[in-house]
């Protein structure tokens, strides 16, 4: 769900903003803030790589299972929890509010100052409580990771301050969608993160299995991921149709080249059967196929538009959507061939 988190958060925030009467532009900005917030919890995988490298130098084995076994102690346990998400929401909103107060030409009225100070105070208090909890209940290194994560969140909020036209409440709501939805996107590939860490009893311990057959289980995860991406794409085409080049509606985006994804069906009997443990067998073969289709369709679109600057945006969008459609068709074709084969 490294990709699905962001697309789902964009869809939830974007459609939600439209439902309460916001303009397309406001909904677009809400979706962007939510997507950024949904991305940030996974950035600590950089720290996890460093942690694993140290462990390997000390004799730990190489491999995906070994990597996640080492990394998850300070990866999902720290950033993929609801308390951390709640505090991160406050930090991002506070950084946006303070960043706006310091930008040239900003309205420095009393209400804006009060909101910035209030959010900053709540964020600082929440961080103090959270870091103390991680230090006491998990480890000092977990507290350090949490502090680094919140610093990254604040930096992201500072960057977003001058780029999104949302009210302080809108930023807070959109950020909350991203941060608080993130933990629930990981329940299909691994054991769920400890939702209330560092203050929790364990309330959800087992991953969600979508099928008894291990390969069908993985294909179900692929379907969930693709659904999340398509929801985000549909929301984007709704709120940003004027930015899509020559593609104004989702139904206009389908390129016949995407049918090349159906050629992936023989992989069900030619390749080793992938499972959650060795999902790379699926990902490392089907994603390159989709990428080739995307480049093919994007280049064709670019040539059709004569290489104009405006056409580059449309070409990029056309290529992405053709690749996504090819990936979806490949997944369907593989699943049908697999079911027939077994």
């Amino acid at each position: 769900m490294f990709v699905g988190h962001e697309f789902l958060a964009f869809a939830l925030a974007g459609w939600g903003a439209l439902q309460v009467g916001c303009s397309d532009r406001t909904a677009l900005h809400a979706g962007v803030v939510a997507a950024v917030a949904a991305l940030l919890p996974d950035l600590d995988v950089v720290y996890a790589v460093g942690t694993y490298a140290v462990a390997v130098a000390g004799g730990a084995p190489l491999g995906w299972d070994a990597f996640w076994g080492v990394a998850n102690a300070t990866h999902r346990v720290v950033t993929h929890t609801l308390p951390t998400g709640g505090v991160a929401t406050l930090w991002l909103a506070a950084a946006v509010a303070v960043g706006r107060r310091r930008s040239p030409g900003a309205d420095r009225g009393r209400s804006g100052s009060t909101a910035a100070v209030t959010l900053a105070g709540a964020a600082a208090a929440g961080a103090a409580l959270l870091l103390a909890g991680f230090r006491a209940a998990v480890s000092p290194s977990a507290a350090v990771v949490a502090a680094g994560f919140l610093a990254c969140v604040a930096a992201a909020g500072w960057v977003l301050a001058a780029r999104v036209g949302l009210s302080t409440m809108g930023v807070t709501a959109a950020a909350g969608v991203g941060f608080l939805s993130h933990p629930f996107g990981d329940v299909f590939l691994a054991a769920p993160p400890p939702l209330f860490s560092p203050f929790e009893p364990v309330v959800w311990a087992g991953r969600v299995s979508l099928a008894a057959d291990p390969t069908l289980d993985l294909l179900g995860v692929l379907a969930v991921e693709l659904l999340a991406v398509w929801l985000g794409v549909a929301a984007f085409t709704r709120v940003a149709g004027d930015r899509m080049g020559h593609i104004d509606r989702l139904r206009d985006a389908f390129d016949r080249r995407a049918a090349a994804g159906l050629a992936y069906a023989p992989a069900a009997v030619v390749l080793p059967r992938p499972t959650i443990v060795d999902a790379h067998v699926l990902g490392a073969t089907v994603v390159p196929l989709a990428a080739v289709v995307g480049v093919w369709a994007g280049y064709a679109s670019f040539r059709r538009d004569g290489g104009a600057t405006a056409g580059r945006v449309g070409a990029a969008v056309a290529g992405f959507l053709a690749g996504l459609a090819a990936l979806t068709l490949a997944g369907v074709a593989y699943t049908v061939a697999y079911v027939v084969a077994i």
Side-chain angles (χ1 to χ4, degrees):
M1 291 295 287
F2 277 108
V3 175
H5 288 303
E6 295 79 59
F7 282 88
L8 180 60
F10 185 99
L12 292 174
W15 287 116
L18 291 177
Q19 293 304 308
V20 297
C22 295
S23 66
D24 287 354
R25 180 175 181 273
T26 299
L28 174 62
H29 288 184
V32 168
V33 171
V36 169
L39 167 68
L40 289 171
D42 279 334
L43 294 184
D44 69 340
V45 76
V46 176
Y47 173 85
V49 170
T51 302
Y52 182 56
V54 172
V56 169
L62 290 171
W64 284 111
D65 288 344
F67 167 70
W68 289 114
V70 171
N72 280 343
T74 48
H75 172 57
R76 296 164 75 245
V77 171
V78 176
T79 62
H80 291 47
T81 76
L82 297 181
T84 301
V87 174
T89 297
L90 294 175
W91 271 74
L92 192 142
V96 169
V98 173
R100 284 175 175 169
R101 303 303 299 167
R102 296 178 63 86
S103 62
D107 179 9
R108 291 178 171 81
R110 182 174 180 181
S111 61
S113 297
T114 301
V117 170
T118 300
L119 275 171
L129 181 62
L130 186 72
L131 297 183
F134 276 121
R135 182 177 180 83
V138 183
S139 68
S141 62
V144 172
V145 172
F149 171 63
L150 293 178
C152 292
V153 169
W158 191 271
V159 172
L160 288 170
R163 292 170 171 79
V164 294
L166 293 176
S167 66
T168 300
M169 182 174 294
V171 170
T172 305
V177 169
F179 284 121
L180 299 178
S181 66
H182 190 110
F184 299 99
D186 288 333
V187 301
F188 300 102
L189 279 178
L195 292 180
F196 298 101
S197 176
F199 312 111
E200 66 157 320
V202 176
V203 296
W204 193 354
R207 64 172 287 269
V208 175
S209 180
L210 300 174
D213 181 279
T215 297
L216 290 178
D217 187 21
L218 177 62
L219 292 170
V221 174
L222 174 63
V224 170
E225 177 89 348
L226 287 171
L227 175 60
V229 175
W230 278 115
L231 287 173
V233 168
F236 184 79
T237 59
R238 169 61 180 82
V239 303
D242 59 339
R243 301 168 186 257
M244 300 287 286
H246 64 276
I247 299 173
D248 297 320
R249 296 177 302 275
L250 188 56
R251 64 175 176 268
D252 296 332
F254 294 99
D255 190 293
R256 64 181 182 277
R257 297 169 182 84
L262 297 173
Y264 190 69
V269 293
V270 173
L271 298 178
R273 293 179 176 179
T275 66
I276 293 293
V277 176
D278 51 6
H280 58 277
V281 172
L282 178 65
T285 53
V286 70
V287 172
L289 171 63
V292 169
V293 172
V295 171
W296 181 20
Y299 180 69
S301 175
F302 181 71
R303 291 194 61 184
R304 183 172 62 246
D305 291 338
T309 301
R312 295 175 185 174
V313 177
V317 172
F320 173 78
L321 292 176
L324 180 60
L327 180 58
T328 304
L329 291 175
V332 172
Y334 184 101
T335 302
V336 171
Y338 178 80
V339 170
V340 171
I342 63 173

